[in-house]
Amino acid sequence: MSPSSPQDRPAPDQPYAPHPPYPPPPTSGLAVASLVTGVVCCVPPLGLVLGLLALRGIRRTGRRGRGMAVAGIALSSVSTLLVSVALAVGPSVGGLPALVDELRHGGDGSASVHRLERGICFDQPGGASEEQEVAAITEVPCDEPHDAEVTGTFRLDGSAYPGVERIERQAEQRCGDLADAYAMDAWAVPRDAVLFYYHPTAESWRYLGDRTVTCMFAADQGKLTGPLRSDATTLSPDQQAFLTAVNPVDEVWYEEPEADADADLAANTAWAGRMAKGLDTAATALRDHPYGGDAAKLVAGLAEQLEEAGRRWAAAAAAKDPDTYWERYDAAYGSLPADFGREARKALNLATTQAGDQAAG
């Protein structure tokens, strides 16, 4: 069976799909070094020399990186000129630091992918649905159409580049956790918003000291049309308490074993036990918070329903054979609130339908 989530979220076989944007291309290390040297302006003529060597190697081997080499040559040439002018005219060149900073970070409204922070919305060249290397993005107000919204970052450990597969395994788990914390009201997240992340390449790891994975929601098609953030910075205490109580039930729901009870009774009864515990914990948490206004009575009613459902799932967990389990499973599944607190959500000004199905109320 593959039932829908109790909160109308995608069923367990429809998780947010991670979409790593960095395939491992063969890129010229000299090209990267030229660009880095040109950007940081440490030894301007060195970047020029490295860029010329990179172009020669790229023509011979077919490796990627011509654009970086050309950019490194251009930046190094400008930096060399600026340094020469500064040495010639002395401290009167007061605009040199500002000009160097503009060259480093872009003067056309673009920003480095290494400077992305939680809550930033942006566009990237070609959109966010295609795998590609990305060096610069354009920040966009989150209430305007945009390609992606950053949910958080984490730093990779170790001195040696761990490889794409290991990075992706970490990113799938940790970006999922960051997304859950960033968008607590999962009903308000559009179905075409997928998990997406930037991670270091071997070259950026080596030459830039890049250790950061940047996690985000990205538009699978088209654009995201508004901010997705719903956390302590945007939620009221009542809203946050409600979502903190009920969201863990979804997390357990997604853990339903792939093998059914006929094939693996133990795994299914163990999962039913976790469902029972999750529902009971949610009911207790809902009762422990003092809700105000119309929400108080509605939340109390939901807590009673969850507690009763928890008893049904506990019965399923105690089944000694598959036939008994299926009988109790059907009763437990049917005991879950049909709308899982839709009226309470409405009273709390939370989304009342899964975004993408119909407008949230």
Side-chain angles (χ1 to χ4, degrees), residues 65-87:
R66 185 178 185 279
M68 287 187 287
V70 171
I73 291 171
L75 289 172
S76 295
S77 299
V78 173
S79 300
T80 301
L81 177 60
L82 290 173
V83 171
S84 299
V85 171
L87 292 174

mmCIF file with all atom_site columns, all heavy atoms in Angstrom, residues 65-87:
data_model
loop_
_atom_site.group_PDB
_atom_site.id
_atom_site.type_symbol
_atom_site.label_atom_id
_atom_site.label_alt_id
_atom_site.label_comp_id
_atom_site.label_asym_id
_atom_site.label_entity_id
_atom_site.label_seq_id
_atom_site.pdbx_PDB_ins_code
_atom_site.Cartn_x
_atom_site.Cartn_y
_atom_site.Cartn_z
_atom_site.occupancy
_atom_site.B_iso_or_equiv
_atom_site.pdbx_formal_charge
_atom_site.auth_seq_id
_atom_site.auth_comp_id
_atom_site.auth_asym_id
_atom_site.auth_atom_id
_atom_site.pdbx_PDB_model_num
ATOM 1   N N   . GLY A 1 65 ? 37.204 24.847 -18.861 1.00 0.00 ? 65 GLY A N   1
ATOM 2   C CA  . GLY A 1 65 ? 37.778 25.898 -18.047 1.00 0.00 ? 65 GLY A CA  1
ATOM 3   C C   . GLY A 1 65 ? 38.255 27.102 -18.837 1.00 0.00 ? 65 GLY A C   1
ATOM 4   O O   . GLY A 1 65 ? 38.892 27.991 -18.276 1.00 0.00 ? 65 GLY A O   1
ATOM 5   N N   . ARG A 1 66 ? 37.956 27.136 -20.145 1.00 0.00 ? 66 ARG A N   1
ATOM 6   C CA  . ARG A 1 66 ? 38.436 28.254 -20.961 1.00 0.00 ? 66 ARG A CA  1
ATOM 7   C C   . ARG A 1 66 ? 37.906 29.589 -20.423 1.00 0.00 ? 66 ARG A C   1
ATOM 8   O O   . ARG A 1 66 ? 38.646 30.577 -20.344 1.00 0.00 ? 66 ARG A O   1
ATOM 9   C CB  . ARG A 1 66 ? 38.006 28.075 -22.416 1.00 0.00 ? 66 ARG A CB  1
ATOM 10  C CG  . ARG A 1 66 ? 38.575 29.141 -23.345 1.00 0.00 ? 66 ARG A CG  1
ATOM 11  C CD  . ARG A 1 66 ? 38.162 28.913 -24.801 1.00 0.00 ? 66 ARG A CD  1
ATOM 12  N NE  . ARG A 1 66 ? 38.811 29.877 -25.668 1.00 0.00 ? 66 ARG A NE  1
ATOM 13  C CZ  . ARG A 1 66 ? 38.398 31.126 -25.849 1.00 0.00 ? 66 ARG A CZ  1
ATOM 14  N NH1 . ARG A 1 66 ? 37.309 31.555 -25.207 1.00 0.00 ? 66 ARG A NH1 1
ATOM 15  N NH2 . ARG A 1 66 ? 39.043 31.951 -26.641 1.00 0.00 ? 66 ARG A NH2 1
ATOM 16  N N   . GLY A 1 67 ? 36.624 29.604 -20.023 1.00 0.00 ? 67 GLY A N   1
ATOM 17  C CA  . GLY A 1 67 ? 36.049 30.842 -19.506 1.00 0.00 ? 67 GLY A CA  1
ATOM 18  C C   . GLY A 1 67 ? 36.755 31.318 -18.251 1.00 0.00 ? 67 GLY A C   1
ATOM 19  O O   . GLY A 1 67 ? 36.998 32.522 -18.068 1.00 0.00 ? 67 GLY A O   1
ATOM 20  N N   . MET A 1 68 ? 37.092 30.362 -17.347 1.00 0.00 ? 68 MET A N   1
ATOM 21  C CA  . MET A 1 68 ? 37.807 30.747 -16.140 1.00 0.00 ? 68 MET A CA  1
ATOM 22  C C   . MET A 1 68 ? 39.189 31.282 -16.465 1.00 0.00 ? 68 MET A C   1
ATOM 23  O O   . MET A 1 68 ? 39.664 32.248 -15.860 1.00 0.00 ? 68 MET A O   1
ATOM 24  C CB  . MET A 1 68 ? 37.907 29.542 -15.184 1.00 0.00 ? 68 MET A CB  1
ATOM 25  C CG  . MET A 1 68 ? 36.596 29.182 -14.512 1.00 0.00 ? 68 MET A CG  1
ATOM 26  S SD  . MET A 1 68 ? 36.778 27.907 -13.253 1.00 0.00 ? 68 MET A SD  1
ATOM 27  C CE  . MET A 1 68 ? 37.043 26.471 -14.277 1.00 0.00 ? 68 MET A CE  1
ATOM 28  N N   . ALA A 1 69 ? 39.872 30.638 -17.420 1.00 0.00 ? 69 ALA A N   1
ATOM 29  C CA  . ALA A 1 69 ? 41.206 31.100 -17.803 1.00 0.00 ? 69 ALA A CA  1
ATOM 30  C C   . ALA A 1 69 ? 41.146 32.508 -18.383 1.00 0.00 ? 69 ALA A C   1
ATOM 31  O O   . ALA A 1 69 ? 41.957 33.374 -18.041 1.00 0.00 ? 69 ALA A O   1
ATOM 32  C CB  . ALA A 1 69 ? 41.822 30.133 -18.804 1.00 0.00 ? 69 ALA A CB  1
ATOM 33  N N   . VAL A 1 70 ? 40.164 32.744 -19.263 1.00 0.00 ? 70 VAL A N   1
ATOM 34  C CA  . VAL A 1 70 ? 40.021 34.072 -19.861 1.00 0.00 ? 70 VAL A CA  1
ATOM 35  C C   . VAL A 1 70 ? 39.709 35.113 -18.791 1.00 0.00 ? 70 VAL A C   1
ATOM 36  O O   . VAL A 1 70 ? 40.276 36.220 -18.772 1.00 0.00 ? 70 VAL A O   1
ATOM 37  C CB  . VAL A 1 70 ? 38.922 34.061 -20.940 1.00 0.00 ? 70 VAL A CB  1
ATOM 38  C CG1 . VAL A 1 70 ? 38.606 35.480 -21.416 1.00 0.00 ? 70 VAL A CG1 1
ATOM 39  C CG2 . VAL A 1 70 ? 39.345 33.189 -22.114 1.00 0.00 ? 70 VAL A CG2 1
ATOM 40  N N   . ALA A 1 71 ? 38.800 34.749 -17.839 1.00 0.00 ? 71 ALA A N   1
ATOM 41  C CA  . ALA A 1 71 ? 38.468 35.679 -16.760 1.00 0.00 ? 71 ALA A CA  1
ATOM 42  C C   . ALA A 1 71 ? 39.684 35.948 -15.887 1.00 0.00 ? 71 ALA A C   1
ATOM 43  O O   . ALA A 1 71 ? 39.922 37.080 -15.451 1.00 0.00 ? 71 ALA A O   1
ATOM 44  C CB  . ALA A 1 71 ? 37.327 35.115 -15.914 1.00 0.00 ? 71 ALA A CB  1
ATOM 45  N N   . GLY A 1 72 ? 40.462 34.888 -15.613 1.00 0.00 ? 72 GLY A N   1
ATOM 46  C CA  . GLY A 1 72 ? 41.671 35.069 -14.821 1.00 0.00 ? 72 GLY A CA  1
ATOM 47  C C   . GLY A 1 72 ? 42.669 35.991 -15.491 1.00 0.00 ? 72 GLY A C   1
ATOM 48  O O   . GLY A 1 72 ? 43.288 36.847 -14.849 1.00 0.00 ? 72 GLY A O   1
ATOM 49  N N   . ILE A 1 73 ? 42.825 35.831 -16.816 1.00 0.00 ? 73 ILE A N   1
ATOM 50  C CA  . ILE A 1 73 ? 43.733 36.703 -17.568 1.00 0.00 ? 73 ILE A CA  1
ATOM 51  C C   . ILE A 1 73 ? 43.249 38.147 -17.508 1.00 0.00 ? 73 ILE A C   1
ATOM 52  O O   . ILE A 1 73 ? 44.030 39.078 -17.269 1.00 0.00 ? 73 ILE A O   1
ATOM 53  C CB  . ILE A 1 73 ? 43.835 36.221 -19.030 1.00 0.00 ? 73 ILE A CB  1
ATOM 54  C CG1 . ILE A 1 73 ? 44.575 34.877 -19.100 1.00 0.00 ? 73 ILE A CG1 1
ATOM 55  C CG2 . ILE A 1 73 ? 44.546 37.257 -19.887 1.00 0.00 ? 73 ILE A CG2 1
ATOM 56  C CD1 . ILE A 1 73 ? 44.525 34.227 -20.465 1.00 0.00 ? 73 ILE A CD1 1
ATOM 57  N N   . ALA A 1 74 ? 41.934 38.333 -17.700 1.00 0.00 ? 74 ALA A N   1
ATOM 58  C CA  . ALA A 1 74 ? 41.387 39.693 -17.706 1.00 0.00 ? 74 ALA A CA  1
ATOM 59  C C   . ALA A 1 74 ? 41.542 40.354 -16.343 1.00 0.00 ? 74 ALA A C   1
ATOM 60  O O   . ALA A 1 74 ? 41.993 41.507 -16.229 1.00 0.00 ? 74 ALA A O   1
ATOM 61  C CB  . ALA A 1 74 ? 39.914 39.654 -18.112 1.00 0.00 ? 74 ALA A CB  1
ATOM 62  N N   . LEU A 1 75 ? 41.163 39.625 -15.277 1.00 0.00 ? 75 LEU A N   1
ATOM 63  C CA  . LEU A 1 75 ? 41.268 40.195 -13.936 1.00 0.00 ? 75 LEU A CA  1
ATOM 64  C C   . LEU A 1 75 ? 42.714 40.484 -13.570 1.00 0.00 ? 75 LEU A C   1
ATOM 65  O O   . LEU A 1 75 ? 43.027 41.521 -12.965 1.00 0.00 ? 75 LEU A O   1
ATOM 66  C CB  . LEU A 1 75 ? 40.640 39.243 -12.916 1.00 0.00 ? 75 LEU A CB  1
ATOM 67  C CG  . LEU A 1 75 ? 39.112 39.117 -12.960 1.00 0.00 ? 75 LEU A CG  1
ATOM 68  C CD1 . LEU A 1 75 ? 38.650 37.999 -12.046 1.00 0.00 ? 75 LEU A CD1 1
ATOM 69  C CD2 . LEU A 1 75 ? 38.458 40.430 -12.551 1.00 0.00 ? 75 LEU A CD2 1
ATOM 70  N N   . SER A 1 76 ? 43.607 39.544 -13.911 1.00 0.00 ? 76 SER A N   1
ATOM 71  C CA  . SER A 1 76 ? 45.024 39.745 -13.584 1.00 0.00 ? 76 SER A CA  1
ATOM 72  C C   . SER A 1 76 ? 45.604 40.917 -14.358 1.00 0.00 ? 76 SER A C   1
ATOM 73  O O   . SER A 1 76 ? 46.435 41.669 -13.845 1.00 0.00 ? 76 SER A O   1
ATOM 74  C CB  . SER A 1 76 ? 45.813 38.466 -13.886 1.00 0.00 ? 76 SER A CB  1
ATOM 75  O OG  . SER A 1 76 ? 45.406 37.410 -13.048 1.00 0.00 ? 76 SER A OG  1
ATOM 76  N N   . SER A 1 77 ? 45.164 41.072 -15.603 1.00 0.00 ? 77 SER A N   1
ATOM 77  C CA  . SER A 1 77 ? 45.650 42.196 -16.397 1.00 0.00 ? 77 SER A CA  1
ATOM 78  C C   . SER A 1 77 ? 45.219 43.521 -15.771 1.00 0.00 ? 77 SER A C   1
ATOM 79  O O   . SER A 1 77 ? 46.012 44.463 -15.633 1.00 0.00 ? 77 SER A O   1
ATOM 80  C CB  . SER A 1 77 ? 45.128 42.102 -17.831 1.00 0.00 ? 77 SER A CB  1
ATOM 81  O OG  . SER A 1 77 ? 45.590 40.915 -18.460 1.00 0.00 ? 77 SER A OG  1
ATOM 82  N N   . VAL A 1 78 ? 43.936 43.585 -15.381 1.00 0.00 ? 78 VAL A N   1
ATOM 83  C CA  . VAL A 1 78 ? 43.443 44.808 -14.745 1.00 0.00 ? 78 VAL A CA  1
ATOM 84  C C   . VAL A 1 78 ? 44.156 45.053 -13.422 1.00 0.00 ? 78 VAL A C   1
ATOM 85  O O   . VAL A 1 78 ? 44.558 46.178 -13.097 1.00 0.00 ? 78 VAL A O   1
ATOM 86  C CB  . VAL A 1 78 ? 41.915 44.715 -14.534 1.00 0.00 ? 78 VAL A CB  1
ATOM 87  C CG1 . VAL A 1 78 ? 41.418 45.913 -13.715 1.00 0.00 ? 78 VAL A CG1 1
ATOM 88  C CG2 . VAL A 1 78 ? 41.198 44.666 -15.874 1.00 0.00 ? 78 VAL A CG2 1
ATOM 89  N N   . SER A 1 79 ? 44.322 43.968 -12.626 1.00 0.00 ? 79 SER A N   1
ATOM 90  C CA  . SER A 1 79 ? 44.985 44.109 -11.332 1.00 0.00 ? 79 SER A CA  1
ATOM 91  C C   . SER A 1 79 ? 46.420 44.579 -11.510 1.00 0.00 ? 79 SER A C   1
ATOM 92  O O   . SER A 1 79 ? 46.920 45.416 -10.760 1.00 0.00 ? 79 SER A O   1
ATOM 93  C CB  . SER A 1 79 ? 44.953 42.778 -10.581 1.00 0.00 ? 79 SER A CB  1
ATOM 94  O OG  . SER A 1 79 ? 43.639 42.351 -10.362 1.00 0.00 ? 79 SER A OG  1
ATOM 95  N N   . THR A 1 80 ? 47.114 44.021 -12.495 1.00 0.00 ? 80 THR A N   1
ATOM 96  C CA  . THR A 1 80 ? 48.496 44.429 -12.762 1.00 0.00 ? 80 THR A CA  1
ATOM 97  C C   . THR A 1 80 ? 48.552 45.912 -13.108 1.00 0.00 ? 80 THR A C   1
ATOM 98  O O   . THR A 1 80 ? 49.419 46.659 -12.625 1.00 0.00 ? 80 THR A O   1
ATOM 99  C CB  . THR A 1 80 ? 49.081 43.596 -13.913 1.00 0.00 ? 80 THR A CB  1
ATOM 100 O OG1 . THR A 1 80 ? 49.043 42.216 -13.556 1.00 0.00 ? 80 THR A OG1 1
ATOM 101 C CG2 . THR A 1 80 ? 50.525 43.990 -14.191 1.00 0.00 ? 80 THR A CG2 1
ATOM 102 N N   . LEU A 1 81 ? 47.583 46.347 -13.929 1.00 0.00 ? 81 LEU A N   1
ATOM 103 C CA  . LEU A 1 81 ? 47.533 47.752 -14.311 1.00 0.00 ? 81 LEU A CA  1
ATOM 104 C C   . LEU A 1 81 ? 47.266 48.640 -13.100 1.00 0.00 ? 81 LEU A C   1
ATOM 105 O O   . LEU A 1 81 ? 47.904 49.678 -12.898 1.00 0.00 ? 81 LEU A O   1
ATOM 106 C CB  . LEU A 1 81 ? 46.448 47.963 -15.368 1.00 0.00 ? 81 LEU A CB  1
ATOM 107 C CG  . LEU A 1 81 ? 46.221 49.411 -15.827 1.00 0.00 ? 81 LEU A CG  1
ATOM 108 C CD1 . LEU A 1 81 ? 47.501 49.978 -16.445 1.00 0.00 ? 81 LEU A CD1 1
ATOM 109 C CD2 . LEU A 1 81 ? 45.069 49.475 -16.819 1.00 0.00 ? 81 LEU A CD2 1
ATOM 110 N N   . LEU A 1 82 ? 46.310 48.219 -12.248 1.00 0.00 ? 82 LEU A N   1
ATOM 111 C CA  . LEU A 1 82 ? 45.978 49.018 -11.070 1.00 0.00 ? 82 LEU A CA  1
ATOM 112 C C   . LEU A 1 82 ? 47.156 49.123 -10.114 1.00 0.00 ? 82 LEU A C   1
ATOM 113 O O   . LEU A 1 82 ? 47.427 50.188 -9.551  1.00 0.00 ? 82 LEU A O   1
ATOM 114 C CB  . LEU A 1 82 ? 44.773 48.398 -10.352 1.00 0.00 ? 82 LEU A CB  1
ATOM 115 C CG  . LEU A 1 82 ? 43.426 48.508 -11.065 1.00 0.00 ? 82 LEU A CG  1
ATOM 116 C CD1 . LEU A 1 82 ? 42.367 47.713 -10.322 1.00 0.00 ? 82 LEU A CD1 1
ATOM 117 C CD2 . LEU A 1 82 ? 43.002 49.963 -11.197 1.00 0.00 ? 82 LEU A CD2 1
ATOM 118 N N   . VAL A 1 83 ? 47.836 47.992 -9.905  1.00 0.00 ? 83 VAL A N   1
ATOM 119 C CA  . VAL A 1 83 ? 49.001 48.016 -9.023  1.00 0.00 ? 83 VAL A CA  1
ATOM 120 C C   . VAL A 1 83 ? 50.078 48.931 -9.585  1.00 0.00 ? 83 VAL A C   1
ATOM 121 O O   . VAL A 1 83 ? 50.723 49.693 -8.857  1.00 0.00 ? 83 VAL A O   1
ATOM 122 C CB  . VAL A 1 83 ? 49.544 46.591 -8.806  1.00 0.00 ? 83 VAL A CB  1
ATOM 123 C CG1 . VAL A 1 83 ? 50.881 46.628 -8.070  1.00 0.00 ? 83 VAL A CG1 1
ATOM 124 C CG2 . VAL A 1 83 ? 48.539 45.758 -8.023  1.00 0.00 ? 83 VAL A CG2 1
ATOM 125 N N   . SER A 1 84 ? 50.275 48.876 -10.900 1.00 0.00 ? 84 SER A N   1
ATOM 126 C CA  . SER A 1 84 ? 51.279 49.730 -11.539 1.00 0.00 ? 84 SER A CA  1
ATOM 127 C C   . SER A 1 84 ? 50.930 51.197 -11.338 1.00 0.00 ? 84 SER A C   1
ATOM 128 O O   . SER A 1 84 ? 51.793 52.033 -11.018 1.00 0.00 ? 84 SER A O   1
ATOM 129 C CB  . SER A 1 84 ? 51.373 49.412 -13.038 1.00 0.00 ? 84 SER A CB  1
ATOM 130 O OG  . SER A 1 84 ? 51.755 48.071 -13.236 1.00 0.00 ? 84 SER A OG  1
ATOM 131 N N   . VAL A 1 85 ? 49.629 51.531 -11.523 1.00 0.00 ? 85 VAL A N   1
ATOM 132 C CA  . VAL A 1 85 ? 49.194 52.911 -11.330 1.00 0.00 ? 85 VAL A CA  1
ATOM 133 C C   . VAL A 1 85 ? 49.388 53.337 -9.884  1.00 0.00 ? 85 VAL A C   1
ATOM 134 O O   . VAL A 1 85 ? 49.848 54.450 -9.581  1.00 0.00 ? 85 VAL A O   1
ATOM 135 C CB  . VAL A 1 85 ? 47.726 53.075 -11.766 1.00 0.00 ? 85 VAL A CB  1
ATOM 136 C CG1 . VAL A 1 85 ? 47.190 54.455 -11.362 1.00 0.00 ? 85 VAL A CG1 1
ATOM 137 C CG2 . VAL A 1 85 ? 47.594 52.854 -13.261 1.00 0.00 ? 85 VAL A CG2 1
ATOM 138 N N   . ALA A 1 86 ? 49.012 52.445 -8.958  1.00 0.00 ? 86 ALA A N   1
ATOM 139 C CA  . ALA A 1 86 ? 49.132 52.768 -7.535  1.00 0.00 ? 86 ALA A CA  1
ATOM 140 C C   . ALA A 1 86 ? 50.573 53.042 -7.159  1.00 0.00 ? 86 ALA A C   1
ATOM 141 O O   . ALA A 1 86 ? 50.885 53.962 -6.393  1.00 0.00 ? 86 ALA A O   1
ATOM 142 C CB  . ALA A 1 86 ? 48.568 51.629 -6.694  1.00 0.00 ? 86 ALA A CB  1
ATOM 143 N N   . LEU A 1 87 ? 51.482 52.227 -7.678  1.00 0.00 ? 87 LEU A N   1
ATOM 144 C CA  . LEU A 1 87 ? 52.903 52.429 -7.387  1.00 0.00 ? 87 LEU A CA  1
ATOM 145 C C   . LEU A 1 87 ? 53.404 53.726 -7.991  1.00 0.00 ? 87 LEU A C   1
ATOM 146 O O   . LEU A 1 87 ? 54.293 54.393 -7.445  1.00 0.00 ? 87 LEU A O   1
ATOM 147 C CB  . LEU A 1 87 ? 53.712 51.241 -7.920  1.00 0.00 ? 87 LEU A CB  1
ATOM 148 C CG  . LEU A 1 87 ? 53.486 49.905 -7.193  1.00 0.00 ? 87 LEU A CG  1
ATOM 149 C CD1 . LEU A 1 87 ? 54.232 48.789 -7.900  1.00 0.00 ? 87 LEU A CD1 1
ATOM 150 C CD2 . LEU A 1 87 ? 53.913 49.995 -5.737  1.00 0.00 ? 87 LEU A CD2 1
#
